[in-house]
Amino acid sequence: MRVWVVLCLCLLTGAALQAQQRIIYDDDCSQDVDCVNTLPILYALEDRGEIKILGMVADSANPLTAPVMKIFASYGGHPQTLIGANQTSEPASALCQKNKCNESYWTTGLVQRFDSGDTRANYPNCVAVYRKALAHQPAHSVAIAVTGFSPCLNQLLASGPDTTSKLSGAELVKQKVKLLSVMGGKYPQGTEWNFECDAPGFHKLFTQWTKQNGYPPVYFNGFANGLDILAGPPATASPITNPTKYGLDLAKTPQRPMWDMLSALFATRGLAYQGTTYFTLSKPGTIALNAQTGADTWSSAVDSGHYVITNAATNDTFMALFDGYAHTTGFLAKPAAK
């Protein structure tokens, strides 16, 4: 059993779990190193029985994003996890190139240490993974968390029927997905890195993904929510064996803001869980995204099924859940047997 599971002890012990939530996690996991914190927490939540990870989607054009996801699947004890890779050059906008959004200063070292030689060529296309993950799920049961870029989700929506499903990608989403949880943006208006790097893609996605077009609701987790919520691995973690510790060492930082985990937490637990209210919800409205700059504007004038979530819990509350994989609070501990 991994150290980060052994260390989790007390919170929620004996409490009845909510129904297991089906999750597809879609992330860039390339330039920013924050995914090395999020991925082990997701696998610990799966070990709790709280979520079922139907698939991991690597949406960056970086060839090592999918291999990084595989490293964490294996380390977390779930090597069978379905992982798909963005096999295109998207996002490739001028702002993506300016921000070096597909580049990474840490993935090469991590893959060399834990799975040398692996590359995205060894993985199925991300749209095929989306279709396979969704095809046989119950209606309106799947939560998708997108914390990177939009290429894979846009490819899914554009896909047609195939041997996996007689439904188009858009039909699969409308039938199988209950919500889309997105990390990105500044609200009520502003410019944030994810949206800026993939402005044309996100503009296309949010223009199509509306209530008027029959899609499930979208919940936006903005930049401000996670900025001051910091987390890292357990204090005892060794960079020799722990990919989170080594990834952060390569990035020369002991912790990173937990923007992405907030979106995953909302997809898993919603606004509140076991007596703790995590988020508050805006009125329904519409996110408009500038296709050239990535600047977003929130308005409640028209209900497109777009919502903005705002932290209700304190930063300290969230850090007590995430930092060190919550070894002092037991956030990830398995509940006691009934």
Side-chain angles (χ1 to χ4, degrees), residues 38-207:
T38 301
L39 293 171
I41 294 175
L42 288 173
Y43 284 111
L45 287 170
E46 186 163 40
D47 286 341
R48 276 180 54 82
E50 208 172 317
I51 64 173
K52 172 60 179 175
I53 299 173
L54 302 178
M56 289 276 178
V57 172
D59 61 48
S60 171
N62 187 293
L64 297 181
T65 296
V68 168
M69 289 182 169
K70 179 187 174 186
I71 287 168
F72 280 95
S74 297
Y75 184 78
H78 295 269
Q80 76 287 351
T81 301
L82 186 63
I83 298 173
N86 174 12
Q87 304 289 359
T88 76
S89 62
E90 295 294 330
S93 67
L95 286 172
C96 173
Q97 295 172 27
K98 176 185 176 182
N99 290 328
K100 300 180 180 179
C101 78
N102 293 311
E103 298 182 21
S104 177
Y105 51 93
W106 60 273
T107 54
T108 298
L110 192 76
V111 173
Q112 284 178 344
R113 170 161 292 187
F114 291 99
D115 198 4
S116 182
D118 199 11
T119 181
R120 68 176 176 175
N122 297 327
Y123 296 82
N125 189 292
C126 58
V127 69
V129 165
Y130 257 126
R131 292 183 61 81
K132 183 175 181 179
L134 290 171
H136 302 295
Q137 302 308 315
H140 311 301
S141 66
V142 180
I144 298 176
V146 175
T147 60
F149 307 132
S150 71
C152 292
L153 208 47
N154 278 327
Q155 290 175 48
L156 170 64
L157 297 186
S159 67
D162 59 12
T163 55
T164 300
S165 173
K166 296 180 179 179
L167 301 177
S168 70
E171 289 169 336
L172 276 172
V173 167
K174 292 175 185 179
Q175 289 193 20
K176 306 296 185 178
V177 176
K178 64 182 287 189
L179 65 87
L180 174 62
S181 179
V182 175
M183 191 281 124
K186 290 184 178 180
Y187 305 104
Q189 60 185 19
T191 303
E192 177 272 334
W193 192 83
N194 282 4
F195 288 178
E196 179 182 61
C197 290
D198 192 19
F202 278 119
H203 170 79
K204 179 180 180 180
L205 178 64
F206 301 146
T207 300

